[in-house]
Amino acid sequence: PVDTTAYPWTTGGGGAVVVARLMAQKRVHLAIETIAFLASCGHDLPLTIVGDGPERTALERLVDRLGITPFVQFVGAVPHTEIAGYLAHADVMIFPAEGEGFGLAAAEALMAGVPVVACWDGGGVLDIVPQAGGGRLTLPSPEAMSDAILDLLHDPDHRALTRLVGESWRARLAPDHVAEVCEGWYREALGA
């Protein structure tokens, strides 16, 4: 269950966001390389990276090497209650993880009205991120992810469509609804 009462709908304007543990499986380097590719094409999109982990130093070096330090901010680990604040101003979430389980960060982004760009090899997140409207699924490459981001952000209906997807996830993951589903499983298991 996810209590979304503290999740405002995004107003945008803050650029891209990644919310992840900084480890190899999350492939945050792809998000950084995507921002660098966009910058090389004249599209300045800031990136906020929320999370920490063993890859942070290497990722910071990658940002320096690519010359995009002005566009990338490492926030570090934050309490879960503060994530909604970062989503409240995001234009897009980049979710480059490979073989993800459920992909709660992507669901939370959608529940805040933030569209999500994820990769085809993302695992369980493919069940969350739509292929059009409020999201895009793409190959795990900076060029393909850049195209998906630009396609998404230039779609005049993306905010409204993302909000519809977000409202659906808010209803599905609402604590009362999840409790009702679990109670149904117990009743079924007990043969009641």
Side-chain angles (χ1 to χ4, degrees), residues 1-135:
V2 178
D3 181 6
T4 58
T5 54
Y7 281 59
W9 294 105
T10 185
T11 57
V17 65
V18 168
V19 177
R21 176 132 169 80
L22 305 185
M23 54 190 279
Q25 183 252 338
K26 302 297 184 175
R27 297 193 305 200
V28 176
H29 69 91
L30 273 176
I32 293 167
E33 291 164 355
T34 297
I35 296 303
F37 184 79
L38 285 166
S40 74
C41 298
H43 303 283
D44 297 342
L45 184 68
L47 173 64
T48 301
I49 300 172
V50 180
D52 214 337
E55 297 285 314
R56 181 167 178 166
T57 302
L59 294 170
E60 289 173 332
R61 281 195 301 260
L62 177 62
V63 168
D64 286 341
R65 191 172 71 248
L66 294 173
I68 57 169
T69 303
F71 300 115
V72 181
Q73 176 188 13
F74 287 87
V75 174
V78 301
H80 189 263
T81 54
E82 292 181 21
I83 291 174
Y86 290 99
L87 296 174
H89 303 289
D91 294 302
V92 62
M93 173 179 272
I94 303 175
F95 195 94
E98 176 181 25
E100 187 69 20
F102 176 68
L104 182 59
E108 289 176 323
L110 291 168
M111 289 187 284
V114 179
V116 179
V117 172
C119 299
W120 281 110
D121 60 354
V125 74
L126 300 181
D127 294 330
I128 297 168
V129 178
Q131 295 182 39

